[in-house]
Amino acid sequence: MKLTTRGHYSVKALLDLSLRPGYGPTSVRAIAKRQGLPAPYLEKLLIEMRRAGLVKSVRGAQGGYQLAHEPTQISLGKILEAVGETIEPLPHHTPDAGQAEDWVTFTLWHRLHQKLKEALYTITLADLYYDARSWQAAMGEETSFVV
């Protein structure tokens, strides 16, 4: 599995939204500026995540995007799935029935894929928030939360 720009930017954007006081709405431009992301590309990703029910859009001068759920309810797996990221580690492969090594290798990769999938669907935005806070505290930095 490789995390592409789509996945990376999507996680950064939702982590940014999770840091908003009261999880209130914020504009695409504000997120893009804070995180150093291209606003037009970010807008497309947020639209995809809105369709998946991870964020909701709020109209008006004080509008923008906000989380549709608490950060503890949004997993990395859901975010990556929403923007079309695949978590399949290998192309579909049918092991050679005559080679035990092929079956063992196939089983190993299948198990690793299952563990990776479990991890992605159990790590939440809240977990990432606490990881960032811990890292910044260890580094003696102010909490800016640019991810």
Side-chain angles (χ1 to χ4, degrees), residues 5 8 20 23 57 66 69 77 81 83 85-87 91 107 122 138:
T5 303
H8 185 70
R20 299 285 302 159
Y23 311 121
S57 57
Q66 67 186 87
H69 308 282
E81 183 181 304
V83 295
E85 290 284 73
T86 180
I87 58 171
T107 303
T122 57

Side-chain angles (χ1 to χ4, degrees), residues 57-108:
S57 57
V58 178
R59 294 182 184 267
Q62 300 300 316
Y65 287 92
Q66 67 186 87
L67 296 179
H69 308 282
E70 294 288 320
T72 57
Q73 302 299 310
I74 301 175
S75 71
L76 291 179
K78 288 179 185 176
I79 297 168
L80 297 176
E81 183 181 304
V83 295
E85 290 284 73
T86 180
I87 58 171
E88 297 299 321
L90 298 172
H92 296 289
H93 170 70
T94 305
D96 183 348
Q99 292 186 333
E101 298 85 2
D102 204 20
W103 278 101
V104 169
T105 303
F106 176 78
T107 303
L108 170 66

Side-chain angles (χ1 to χ4, degrees), residues 13 18 24-26 29 34 39 47 65 68-69 86-87 97 119 122-123 131 140-141 146:
S18 76
T26 189
R29 288 195 175 149
R34 283 191 298 268
I47 289 169
Y65 287 92
H69 308 282
T86 180
I87 58 171
T122 57
I123 298 170
D131 289 347
E141 295 181 14
V146 174

Side-chain angles (χ1 to χ4, degrees), residues 17-66:
L17 288 176
S18 76
L19 301 171
R20 299 285 302 159
Y23 311 121
T26 189
S27 72
V28 173
R29 288 195 175 149
I31 298 168
K33 184 177 180 183
R34 283 191 298 268
Q35 298 302 325
L37 305 175
Y41 188 56
L42 181 58
E43 176 81 41
K44 291 176 185 177
L45 296 173
L46 285 164
I47 289 169
E48 290 180 39
M49 289 186 281
R50 181 180 50 82
R51 287 183 187 137
L54 298 178
V55 297
K56 48 188 172 180
S57 57
V58 178
R59 294 182 184 267
Q62 300 300 316
Y65 287 92
Q66 67 186 87

